[in-house]
Coordinates of all heavy atoms in Angstrom, one line a residue:
M107 N -65.3 84.8 -57.0 CA -66.0 83.7 -56.3 C -66.3 82.5 -57.3 O -66.7 82.7 -58.4 CB -67.4 84.2 -55.6 CG -67.2 84.5 -54.2 SD -68.8 84.7 -53.5 CE -68.8 86.5 -53.2
N108 N -66.1 81.4 -56.8 CA -66.4 80.2 -57.7 C -67.9 80.0 -57.6 O -68.7 80.4 -56.8 CB -65.6 79.0 -57.3 CG -65.9 78.5 -55.9 OD1 -66.9 78.8 -55.3 ND2 -64.9 77.7 -55.4
D109 N -68.4 79.2 -58.5 CA -69.9 78.9 -58.8 C -70.5 78.2 -57.5 O -71.5 78.5 -57.1 CB -70.1 78.1 -59.9 CG -69.8 78.8 -61.2 OD1 -69.9 80.1 -61.2 OD2 -69.8 78.3 -62.4
D110 N -69.7 77.3 -57.0 CA -70.2 76.5 -55.7 C -70.4 77.5 -54.7 O -71.5 77.4 -53.9 CB -69.2 75.4 -55.3 CG -69.2 74.3 -56.2 OD1 -70.2 74.2 -57.1 OD2 -68.2 73.6 -56.2
R111 N -69.6 78.4 -54.4 CA -69.7 79.4 -53.2 C -70.9 80.4 -53.5 O -71.6 80.7 -52.7 CB -68.4 80.2 -53.1 CG -68.4 80.9 -51.9 CD -67.1 81.5 -51.5 NE -67.2 82.4 -50.4 CZ -66.2 83.0 -50.0 NH1 -64.9 82.9 -50.5 NH2 -66.3 84.0 -48.8
V112 N -71.1 80.7 -54.8 CA -72.1 81.7 -55.1 C -73.4 81.0 -55.0 O -74.4 81.5 -54.4 CB -71.9 82.1 -56.6 CG1 -73.1 82.9 -57.0 CG2 -70.7 83.1 -56.7
Q113 N -73.5 79.7 -55.5 CA -74.7 78.9 -55.3 C -75.0 78.7 -53.8 O -76.2 78.9 -53.4 CB -74.7 77.6 -56.0 CG -75.9 76.9 -56.0 CD -75.9 75.6 -56.9 OE1 -74.7 75.2 -57.3 NE2 -77.0 75.0 -57.0
R114 N -74.1 78.4 -52.9 CA -74.3 78.2 -51.6 C -74.8 79.4 -50.9 O -75.8 79.5 -50.1 CB -73.0 77.8 -50.8 CG -73.1 77.3 -49.4 CD -72.0 76.7 -48.8 NE -70.8 76.4 -49.7 CZ -69.6 77.2 -49.6 NH1 -69.4 78.1 -48.6 NH2 -68.6 76.9 -50.4
R115 N -74.2 80.6 -51.2 CA -74.7 81.9 -50.6 C -76.1 82.2 -51.1 O -76.9 82.7 -50.3 CB -73.9 83.1 -51.0 CG -72.5 82.9 -50.4 CD -71.6 84.0 -50.6 NE -72.1 85.2 -49.7 CZ -71.7 86.5 -50.0 NH1 -70.9 86.7 -50.9 NH2 -72.2 87.5 -49.3
A116 N -76.4 81.9 -52.4 CA -77.7 82.2 -52.8 C -78.8 81.3 -52.1 O -79.9 81.7 -51.8 CB -77.8 81.9 -54.4
R117 N -78.4 80.0 -52.0 CA -79.4 79.1 -51.2 C -79.5 79.5 -49.7 O -80.6 79.5 -49.2 CB -78.7 77.7 -51.2 CG -78.9 77.0 -52.6 CD -78.2 75.8 -52.7 NE -79.0 74.6 -52.0 CZ -80.0 74.0 -52.5 NH1 -80.7 74.6 -53.5 NH2 -80.5 73.0 -51.9
Q118 N -78.4 80.1 -49.1 CA -78.6 80.6 -47.7 C -79.5 81.8 -47.7 O -80.4 81.9 -46.8 CB -77.3 81.0 -47.3 CG -76.4 79.8 -46.7 CD -75.1 80.4 -46.0 OE1 -74.6 81.3 -46.7 NE2 -74.6 79.9 -45.1
R119 N -79.3 82.7 -48.7 CA -80.3 83.9 -48.7 C -81.7 83.5 -48.9 O -82.6 84.0 -48.3 CB -79.8 84.9 -49.8 CG -78.4 85.4 -49.5 CD -78.4 86.5 -48.5 NE -79.4 87.6 -48.8 CZ -80.2 88.1 -48.0 NH1 -80.3 87.6 -46.8 NH2 -81.1 89.0 -48.4
A120 N -81.9 82.5 -49.9 CA -83.2 82.1 -50.2 C -83.9 81.4 -48.9 O -85.0 81.6 -48.6 CB -83.2 81.1 -51.4
G121 N -83.0 80.6 -48.2 CA -83.5 79.9 -47.0 C -83.9 81.0 -46.0 O -84.9 80.7 -45.3
A122 N -83.1 81.9 -45.8 CA -83.4 83.0 -44.8 C -84.6 83.7 -45.1 O -85.5 83.9 -44.2 CB -82.3 84.0 -44.7
K123 N -84.9 84.0 -46.4 CA -86.2 84.6 -46.7 C -87.4 83.8 -46.6 O -88.4 84.2 -46.1 CB -86.0 85.1 -48.2 CG -85.1 86.3 -48.4 CD -85.1 86.7 -50.0 CE -84.0 87.8 -50.1 NZ -83.9 88.2 -51.5
L124 N -87.2 82.5 -46.9 CA -88.3 81.5 -46.7 C -88.6 81.5 -45.2 O -89.8 81.5 -44.9 CB -87.8 80.1 -47.3 CG -88.9 79.1 -47.2 CD1 -90.2 79.5 -48.0 CD2 -88.4 77.8 -47.7
G125 N -87.6 81.4 -44.4 CA -87.8 81.2 -43.0 C -88.7 82.5 -42.4 O -89.5 82.4 -41.6
F126 N -88.3 83.7 -43.0 CA -89.0 84.9 -42.6 C -90.5 84.7 -43.0 O -91.4 85.1 -42.3 CB -88.4 86.2 -43.1 CG -89.2 87.4 -42.9 CD1 -89.2 87.9 -41.7 CD2 -90.1 87.9 -44.0 CE1 -90.0 89.0 -41.4 CE2 -90.8 89.0 -43.7 CZ -90.9 89.5 -42.4
Y127 N -90.7 84.4 -44.3 CA -92.1 84.3 -44.8 C -92.9 83.2 -43.9 O -94.1 83.5 -43.7 CB -92.2 83.9 -46.3 CG -91.6 85.1 -47.0 CD1 -90.6 84.8 -48.1 CD2 -92.0 86.4 -46.8 CE1 -90.2 85.9 -48.9 CE2 -91.4 87.4 -47.5 CZ -90.6 87.1 -48.6 OH -90.1 88.2 -49.4
I128 N -92.3 82.1 -43.5 CA -92.9 81.2 -42.8 C -93.2 81.7 -41.3 O -94.4 81.6 -40.8 CB -92.1 79.8 -42.5 CG1 -92.0 79.1 -43.9 CG2 -92.7 79.0 -41.5 CD1 -91.0 78.0 -44.0
H129 N -92.3 82.5 -40.7 CA -92.5 83.1 -39.4 C -93.6 84.1 -39.6 O -94.5 84.2 -38.6 CB -91.2 83.8 -39.0 CG -91.2 84.3 -37.7 ND1 -90.1 85.0 -37.2 CD2 -91.9 84.3 -36.6 CE1 -90.4 85.4 -36.0 NE2 -91.5 84.9 -35.6
L130 N -93.7 84.9 -40.6 CA -94.8 85.9 -40.7 C -96.1 85.3 -41.0 O -97.1 85.7 -40.3 CB -94.4 86.8 -42.0 CG -95.5 87.9 -42.2 CD1 -95.6 88.9 -41.2 CD2 -95.0 88.7 -43.6
T131 N -96.2 84.2 -41.6 CA -97.4 83.4 -41.9 C -98.0 82.8 -40.6 O -99.1 82.9 -40.3 CB -97.2 82.4 -42.9 OG1 -96.8 82.8 -44.1 CG2 -98.6 81.5 -43.2
V132 N -97.0 82.2 -39.8 CA -97.5 81.7 -38.4 C -97.9 82.8 -37.6 O -99.0 82.6 -36.9 CB -96.3 80.8 -37.9 CG1 -96.7 80.4 -36.5 CG2 -96.0 79.6 -38.8
Y133 N -97.2 83.9 -37.6 CA -97.6 85.0 -36.8 C -99.0 85.5 -37.0 O -99.8 85.8 -36.3 CB -96.6 86.2 -37.1 CG -97.0 87.6 -36.5 CD1 -96.9 87.8 -35.1 CD2 -97.5 88.5 -37.4 CE1 -97.2 89.1 -34.7 CE2 -97.8 89.8 -37.0 CZ -97.7 90.1 -35.6 OH -98.0 91.4 -35.0
L134 N -99.3 85.7 -38.4 CA -100.7 86.2 -38.8 C -101.7 85.2 -38.5 O -102.8 85.5 -38.0 CB -100.7 86.4 -40.4 CG -99.6 87.6 -40.8 CD1 -99.6 87.6 -42.3 CD2 -100.3 88.9 -40.2
L135 N -101.5 83.9 -38.7 CA -102.5 82.8 -38.4 C -102.7 82.7 -36.9 O -103.9 82.8 -36.5 CB -102.0 81.4 -38.9 CG -102.0 81.3 -40.4 CD1 -101.5 79.9 -40.8 CD2 -103.4 81.5 -41.1
V136 N -101.6 82.7 -36.1 CA -101.8 82.6 -34.6 C -102.6 83.7 -34.1 O -103.5 83.6 -33.3 CB -100.5 82.3 -34.0 CG1 -100.6 82.4 -32.4 CG2 -100.0 80.9 -34.3
N137 N -102.1 84.9 -34.4 CA -102.7 86.1 -34.0 C -104.1 86.4 -34.4 O -104.9 86.9 -33.6 CB -101.8 87.4 -34.1 CG -100.6 87.4 -33.2 OD1 -100.9 87.7 -32.0 ND2 -99.5 87.2 -33.7
S138 N -104.5 85.8 -35.6 CA -105.8 85.9 -36.0 C -106.7 84.9 -35.2 O -107.8 85.3 -34.8 CB -106.1 85.4 -37.5 OG -105.3 86.4 -38.4
L139 N -106.2 83.7 -34.9 CA -106.9 82.9 -34.0 C -107.0 83.4 -32.5 O -108.2 83.4 -32.0 CB -106.1 81.6 -33.9 CG -106.7 80.5 -33.0 CD1 -108.0 80.0 -33.5 CD2 -105.7 79.3 -32.9
L140 N -106.0 84.2 -32.1 CA -106.0 84.8 -30.7 C -107.0 85.9 -30.8 O -107.9 86.0 -29.8 CB -104.7 85.3 -30.3 CG -103.6 84.2 -29.9 CD1 -102.3 84.9 -29.7 CD2 -104.1 83.4 -28.8
L141 N -107.1 86.6 -31.9 CA -108.1 87.7 -31.9 C -109.6 87.1 -31.9 O -110.5 87.6 -31.2 CB -108.0 88.5 -33.2 CG -109.0 89.5 -33.6 CD1 -109.2 90.6 -32.5 CD2 -108.8 90.1 -34.9
A142 N -109.8 86.0 -32.6 CA -111.1 85.3 -32.6 C -111.4 84.8 -31.3 O -112.7 85.0 -30.8 CB -111.2 84.2 -33.7
I143 N -110.6 84.2 -30.6 CA -110.8 83.6 -29.2 C -111.1 84.8 -28.3 O -112.1 84.9 -27.4 CB -109.6 82.9 -28.7 CG1 -109.4 81.6 -29.6 CG2 -109.7 82.6 -27.2 CD1 -108.2 80.8 -29.2
N144 N -110.3 86.0 -28.4 CA -110.5 87.1 -27.5 C -111.8 87.7 -27.7 O -112.6 88.0 -26.8 CB -109.4 88.1 -27.9 CG -109.5 89.3 -26.9 OD1 -108.7 90.1 -27.0 ND2 -110.4 89.4 -26.1
L145 N -112.3 87.7 -28.9 CA -113.7 88.5 -29.2 C -114.8 87.5 -28.8 O -115.9 88.0 -28.5 CB -113.7 88.8 -30.7 CG -112.8 89.9 -31.2 CD1 -113.0 90.1 -32.7 CD2 -113.1 91.2 -30.5
Q146 N -114.6 86.2 -28.9 CA -115.7 85.3 -28.4 C -115.6 85.2 -26.9 O -116.9 85.0 -26.3 CB -115.2 83.8 -28.9 CG -115.5 83.8 -30.5 CD -116.9 83.9 -30.8 OE1 -117.9 83.4 -30.2 NE2 -117.2 84.6 -32.0
T147 N -114.6 85.3 -26.1 CA -114.6 85.0 -24.8 C -114.7 86.4 -24.0 O -115.4 86.4 -23.0 CB -113.3 84.3 -24.3 OG1 -112.2 85.0 -24.6 CG2 -113.2 82.9 -24.9
S148 N -114.0 87.3 -24.4 CA -114.0 88.7 -23.5 C -113.8 89.8 -24.4 O -112.8 90.4 -24.4 CB -113.0 88.6 -22.5 OG -111.7 88.4 -22.9
P149 N -114.9 90.2 -25.2 CA -114.7 91.3 -26.1 C -114.6 92.7 -25.6 O -114.1 93.5 -26.2 CB -116.0 91.2 -26.9 CG -117.0 90.5 -26.1 CD -116.1 89.6 -25.3
E150 N -114.9 92.8 -24.3 CA -114.8 94.0 -23.5 C -113.2 94.3 -23.1 O -112.9 95.4 -22.8 CB -115.5 94.0 -22.2 CG -115.2 93.1 -21.1 CD -115.5 91.6 -21.4 OE1 -116.4 91.4 -22.2 OE2 -115.1 90.7 -20.6
R151 N -112.4 93.3 -23.2 CA -111.1 93.4 -22.8 C -110.1 92.8 -23.9 O -110.1 91.6 -24.1 CB -110.7 92.7 -21.5 CG -109.3 92.9 -21.0 CD -109.2 92.5 -19.6 NE -107.9 92.7 -19.1 CZ -107.0 91.7 -18.8 NH1 -107.4 90.4 -19.0 NH2 -105.7 92.0 -18.6
L152 N -109.5 93.6 -24.7 CA -108.7 93.1 -25.8 C -107.3 92.7 -25.4 O -106.3 93.5 -25.6 CB -108.7 94.1 -26.9 CG -110.0 94.6 -27.6 CD1 -109.9 95.5 -28.7 CD2 -110.7 93.3 -28.1
W153 N -107.2 91.6 -24.9 CA -105.9 91.1 -24.5 C -104.9 90.5 -25.6 O -103.7 90.4 -25.5 CB -105.9 89.9 -23.4 CG -106.8 88.8 -23.8 CD1 -108.2 88.7 -23.4 CD2 -106.7 87.6 -24.6 NE1 -108.7 87.6 -24.0 CE2 -107.8 87.0 -24.7 CE3 -105.5 87.3 -25.4 CZ2 -107.9 85.9 -25.4 CZ3 -105.7 86.2 -26.2 CH2 -106.9 85.5 -26.1
F154 N -105.5 90.2 -26.9 CA -104.7 89.6 -27.9 C -103.7 90.7 -28.4 O -102.6 90.2 -29.0 CB -105.6 89.2 -29.1 CG -105.9 90.4 -30.1 CD1 -105.2 90.6 -31.3 CD2 -106.9 91.3 -29.7 CE1 -105.4 91.6 -32.0 CE2 -107.2 92.4 -30.5 CZ -106.5 92.5 -31.8
F155 N -104.0 92.0 -28.1 CA -103.1 93.0 -28.6 C -101.6 92.8 -28.0 O -100.7 93.2 -28.8 CB -103.7 94.4 -28.1 CG -103.0 95.5 -28.6 CD1 -102.9 95.9 -29.9 CD2 -102.3 96.3 -27.7 CE1 -102.2 97.0 -30.3 CE2 -101.4 97.4 -28.0 CZ -101.4 97.7 -29.3
W156 N -101.5 92.2 -26.9 CA -100.1 92.1 -26.2 C -99.4 91.1 -27.0 O -98.2 91.4 -27.2 CB -100.3 91.7 -24.7 CG -101.0 92.8 -24.0 CD1 -102.3 92.9 -23.5 CD2 -100.4 94.2 -23.7 NE1 -102.5 94.1 -22.9 CE2 -101.4 95.0 -23.1 CE3 -99.2 94.8 -23.9 CZ2 -101.2 96.2 -22.6 CZ3 -99.0 96.1 -23.6 CH2 -99.9 96.7 -23.0
S157 N -99.9 90.0 -27.3 CA -99.3 89.0 -28.1 C -98.9 89.5 -29.5 O -97.7 89.3 -30.1 CB -99.9 87.7 -28.2 OG -101.0 87.8 -29.1
L158 N -99.8 90.3 -30.1 CA -99.6 90.9 -31.5 C -98.4 91.9 -31.4 O -97.6 91.8 -32.3 CB -100.8 91.8 -31.8 CG -100.9 92.2 -33.2 CD1 -101.3 91.1 -34.2 CD2 -102.0 93.4 -33.3
C159 N -98.4 92.6 -30.4 CA -97.2 93.7 -30.3 C -95.9 93.0 -29.9 O -94.9 93.3 -30.6 CB -97.6 94.7 -29.2 SG -98.8 95.8 -29.8
G160 N -96.0 92.1 -28.9 CA -94.7 91.4 -28.5 C -94.0 90.6 -29.6 O -92.8 90.6 -29.9
W161 N -94.9 89.8 -30.1 CA -94.4 89.0 -31.3 C -94.1 89.8 -32.5 O -93.1 89.5 -33.3 CB -95.4 87.9 -31.6 CG -95.1 86.7 -32.5 CD1 -93.8 86.7 -33.1 CD2 -95.8 85.5 -32.7 NE1 -93.9 85.4 -33.7 CE2 -94.9 84.7 -33.5 CE3 -97.0 85.2 -32.4 CZ2 -95.5 83.5 -34.0 CZ3 -97.4 84.0 -32.7 CH2 -96.8 83.1 -33.6
G162 N -94.8 90.9 -32.7 CA -94.6 91.8 -33.8 C -93.1 92.4 -33.7 O -92.5 92.6 -34.7
V163 N -92.7 92.7 -32.5 CA -91.3 93.2 -32.4 C -90.2 92.1 -33.0 O -89.4 92.5 -33.7 CB -91.0 93.5 -31.0 CG1 -89.5 93.7 -30.7 CG2 -91.8 94.7 -30.5
G164 N -90.5 90.9 -32.6 CA -89.7 89.7 -33.1 C -89.7 89.8 -34.7 O -88.7 89.4 -35.3
I165 N -90.9 89.9 -35.2 CA -91.1 89.8 -36.7 C -90.2 90.9 -37.4 O -89.6 90.7 -38.3 CB -92.6 89.8 -37.0 CG1 -93.3 88.6 -36.8 CG2 -92.7 90.2 -38.5 CD1 -93.0 87.4 -37.6
V166 N -90.4 92.1 -36.8 CA -89.8 93.3 -37.4 C -88.2 93.0 -37.3 O -87.5 93.2 -38.3 CB -90.1 94.6 -36.6 CG1 -89.1 95.7 -37.0 CG2 -91.6 94.9 -36.9
C167 N -87.7 92.5 -36.1 CA -86.3 92.3 -36.0 C -85.9 91.2 -37.0 O -84.7 91.3 -37.5 CB -85.9 91.8 -34.6 SG -86.1 93.2 -33.4
H168 N -86.6 90.1 -37.2 CA -86.3 89.1 -38.1 C -86.2 89.7 -39.6 O -85.3 89.3 -40.2 CB -87.4 87.9 -38.0 CG -87.0 86.7 -38.7 ND1 -87.9 85.6 -38.6 CD2 -86.1 86.4 -39.5 CE1 -87.2 84.6 -39.4 NE2 -86.2 85.0 -40.0
G169 N -87.2 90.4 -39.8 CA -87.3 91.1 -41.3 C -86.1 91.9 -41.5 O -85.4 91.9 -42.5
L170 N -85.7 92.7 -40.5 CA -84.5 93.5 -40.7 C -83.3 92.7 -40.8 O -82.4 93.0 -41.6 CB -84.4 94.4 -39.4 CG -85.3 95.6 -39.3 CD1 -85.2 96.3 -37.9 CD2 -85.2 96.5 -40.4
S171 N -83.2 91.5 -40.1 CA -81.9 90.8 -40.2 C -81.9 90.1 -41.6 O -80.8 89.8 -42.0 CB -81.9 89.7 -39.1 OG -82.8 88.8 -39.3
V172 N -83.0 89.7 -42.2 CA -83.1 89.1 -43.4 C -82.9 90.0 -44.6 O -82.1 89.8 -45.4 CB -84.3 88.2 -43.6 CG1 -84.5 87.7 -45.0 CG2 -84.3 87.1 -42.6
F173 N -83.6 91.1 -44.5 CA -83.6 92.0 -45.7 C -82.7 93.3 -45.7 O -82.2 93.7 -46.7 CB -85.0 92.5 -46.0 CG -86.0 91.4 -46.3 CD1 -86.8 90.9 -45.4 CD2 -85.9 90.7 -47.5 CE1 -87.7 89.8 -45.7 CE2 -86.8 89.8 -47.9 CZ -87.6 89.3 -47.0
V174 N -82.4 93.7 -44.5 CA -81.5 94.9 -44.4 C -80.1 94.5 -43.9 O -79.1 95.0 -44.5 CB -82.1 95.8 -43.4 CG1 -81.2 97.1 -43.2 CG2 -83.5 96.4 -43.8
G175 N -80.0 93.5 -43.0 CA -78.7 93.2 -42.5 C -77.6 92.8 -43.6 O -76.5 93.3 -43.5
P176 N -77.9 91.9 -44.5 CA -76.9 91.5 -45.5 C -76.4 92.7 -46.3 O -75.3 92.6 -46.8 CB -77.7 90.5 -46.4 CG -78.7 90.0 -45.5 CD -79.1 91.1 -44.6
G177 N -77.3 93.6 -46.6 CA -76.8 94.8 -47.4 C -75.8 95.6 -46.7 O -74.8 96.1 -47.2
I178 N -76.0 95.8 -45.3 CA -75.2 96.4 -44.5 C -73.8 95.8 -44.5 O -72.7 96.3 -44.5 CB -75.8 96.8 -43.1 CG1 -76.9 97.8 -43.2 CG2 -74.7 97.3 -42.2 CD1 -77.7 97.8 -42.0
M179 N -73.9 94.4 -44.2 CA -72.7 93.6 -44.1 C -71.8 93.7 -45.4 O -70.6 93.9 -45.4 CB -73.1 92.1 -43.8 CG -71.9 91.3 -43.7 SD -70.9 91.8 -42.1 CE -70.7 90.2 -41.5
Q180 N -72.5 93.7 -46.5 CA -71.9 93.8 -47.9 C -71.2 95.0 -48.0 O -70.0 95.1 -48.4 CB -72.8 93.5 -49.0 CG -72.3 93.6 -50.4 CD -71.3 92.4 -50.6 OE1 -71.5 91.4 -50.1 NE2 -70.4 92.6 -51.4
R181 N -71.8 96.1 -47.6 CA -71.2 97.5 -47.8 C -70.0 97.6 -46.8 O -69.0 98.1 -47.2 CB -72.3 98.6 -47.5 CG -73.2 98.7 -48.7 CD -74.1 100.0 -48.5 NE -74.9 100.1 -47.2 CZ -75.9 99.5 -47.1 NH1 -76.6 99.0 -48.2 NH2 -76.7 99.6 -45.9
M182 N -70.1 97.0 -45.6 CA -69.0 97.1 -44.6 C -67.8 96.3 -45.1 O -66.6 96.7 -45.0 CB -69.4 96.7 -43.3 CG -70.4 97.6 -42.6 SD -71.1 97.0 -41.0 CE -69.6 97.1 -40.0
T183 N -68.1 95.1 -45.7 CA -67.0 94.3 -46.3 C -66.4 94.9 -47.3 O -65.1 94.9 -47.5 CB -67.6 92.8 -46.7 OG1 -68.3 92.3 -45.6 CG2 -66.6 92.0 -47.3
E184 N -67.0 95.6 -48.3 CA -66.5 96.3 -49.4 C -65.6 97.4 -49.0 O -64.5 97.7 -49.5 CB -67.5 96.8 -50.5 CG -68.1 95.7 -51.1 CD -69.4 96.0 -51.9 OE1 -69.8 97.4 -52.0 OE2 -70.1 95.2 -52.6
R185 N -66.0 98.2 -47.9 CA -65.3 99.2 -47.4 C -64.0 98.7 -46.8 O -62.9 99.3 -47.0 CB -66.1 99.9 -46.3 CG -65.7 101.3 -46.1 CD -66.6 102.2 -45.2 NE -68.0 102.1 -45.6 CZ -69.1 101.9 -44.9 NH1 -68.9 101.8 -43.6 NH2 -70.3 101.9 -45.4
E186 N -63.9 97.6 -46.1 CA -62.9 97.1 -45.4 C -61.8 96.6 -46.5 O -60.6 96.8 -46.4 CB -63.2 96.1 -44.4 CG -63.9 96.4 -43.1 CD -63.0 97.4 -42.4 OE1 -61.7 97.3 -42.4 OE2 -63.5 98.4 -41.9
L187 N -62.3 95.9 -47.6 CA -61.5 95.5 -48.6 C -60.8 96.7 -49.3 O -59.6 96.7 -49.5 CB -62.2 94.7 -49.7 CG -62.7 93.3 -49.2 CD1 -63.6 92.8 -50.3 CD2 -61.4 92.4 -49.2
E188 N -61.5 97.7 -49.5 CA -61.0 99.0 -50.0 C -59.9 99.5 -49.1 O -58.9 100.0 -49.7 CB -62.1 100.0 -50.2 CG -62.1 100.7 -51.5 CD -63.4 101.7 -51.5 OE1 -63.3 102.8 -51.0 OE2 -64.4 101.3 -52.1
N189 N -60.0 99.5 -47.9 CA -59.0 100.1 -46.8 C -57.8 99.3 -47.0 O -56.7 99.7 -46.9 CB -59.7 100.1 -45.5 CG -60.7 101.2 -45.3 OD1 -60.8 102.1 -46.1 ND2 -61.5 101.1 -44.2
E190 N -58.1 98.0 -47.0 CA -56.9 97.0 -47.1 C -56.0 97.2 -48.4 O -54.9 97.2 -48.4 CB -57.3 95.6 -47.0 CG -57.7 95.1 -45.6 CD -56.7 95.3 -44.6 OE1 -55.5 94.9 -44.8 OE2 -57.0 95.8 -43.5
R191 N -56.7 97.5 -49.5 CA -56.1 97.7 -50.7 C -55.3 99.0 -50.9 O -54.2 99.1 -51.3 CB -57.1 97.7 -52.0 CG -57.7 96.3 -52.3 CD -58.6 96.4 -53.5 NE -59.2 95.0 -53.6 CZ -60.5 95.0 -53.6 NH1 -61.3 96.0 -53.7 NH2 -61.0 93.7 -53.8
E192 N -55.9 100.0 -50.1 CA -55.1 101.2 -50.1 C -53.9 101.2 -49.2 O -52.9 102.0 -49.4 CB -56.1 102.3 -49.3 CG -57.2 102.8 -50.3 CD -58.2 103.7 -49.7 OE1 -58.0 104.0 -48.5 OE2 -59.2 104.1 -50.4
K193 N -53.9 100.3 -48.2 CA -52.6 100.2 -47.3 C -51.5 99.6 -48.1 O -50.3 99.6 -47.7 CB -53.1 99.2 -46.1 CG -53.9 99.9 -45.2 CD -54.2 99.0 -44.0 CE -55.1 99.6 -43.0 NZ -55.4 98.6 -41.9
K194 N -51.7 98.8 -49.1 CA -50.7 98.1 -49.9 C -49.9 99.0 -50.8 O -50.1 100.0 -51.2 CB -51.3 96.9 -50.8 CG -51.7 95.8 -49.8 CD -52.1 94.7 -50.7 CE -52.6 93.6 -49.8 NZ -52.9 92.4 -50.6

């Protein structure tokens, strides 16, 4: 791979990680605010939990796509390249 392509891929990966960290920060801030509102207005009924769980599923999926997905894709690509080389 040439240097430009390596640098472009590195910038993409860094951007994906930054995007995840921003998403996680917003998730924590908003859900903290919702918890505070919930406890102030109706502490007997904890409704903030639903947004915490629903959005949490999105956070987990986002994290998996950023931190686990590229590794799986890399291994699959290497396996396919190996198969192609064996065919020749």
Side-chain angles (χ1 to χ4, degrees):
M107 260 193 251
N108 62 18
D109 288 341
D110 290 338
R111 189 168 175 184
V112 170
Q113 186 173 7
R114 190 172 355 112
R115 289 185 77 195
R117 288 173 77 67
Q118 278 183 323
R119 295 282 306 130
K123 288 178 182 179
L124 180 61
F126 172 75
Y127 293 133
I128 290 170
H129 189 185
L130 181 61
T131 301
V132 171
Y133 168 79
L134 293 172
L135 291 172
V136 169
N137 281 291
S138 297
L139 180 63
L140 290 175
L141 171 62
I143 291 169
N144 185 177
L145 293 176
Q146 288 292 318
T147 60
S148 57
E150 68 283 349
R151 185 165 179 252
L152 298 178
W153 50 260
F154 86 96
F155 182 72
W156 296 107
S157 69
L158 187 78
C159 291
W161 196 349
V163 169
I165 288 286
V166 169
C167 291
H168 191 175
L170 289 173
S171 73
V172 169
F173 295 105
V174 178
I178 293 171
M179 181 66 132
Q180 180 67 32
R181 287 191 297 275
M182 290 174 74
T183 302
E184 288 170 2
R185 204 172 305 136
E186 289 300 319
L187 285 171
E188 223 174 87
N189 290 341
E190 289 299 318
R191 288 183 188 128
E192 288 175 0
K193 288 180 183 178
K194 289 184 177 183

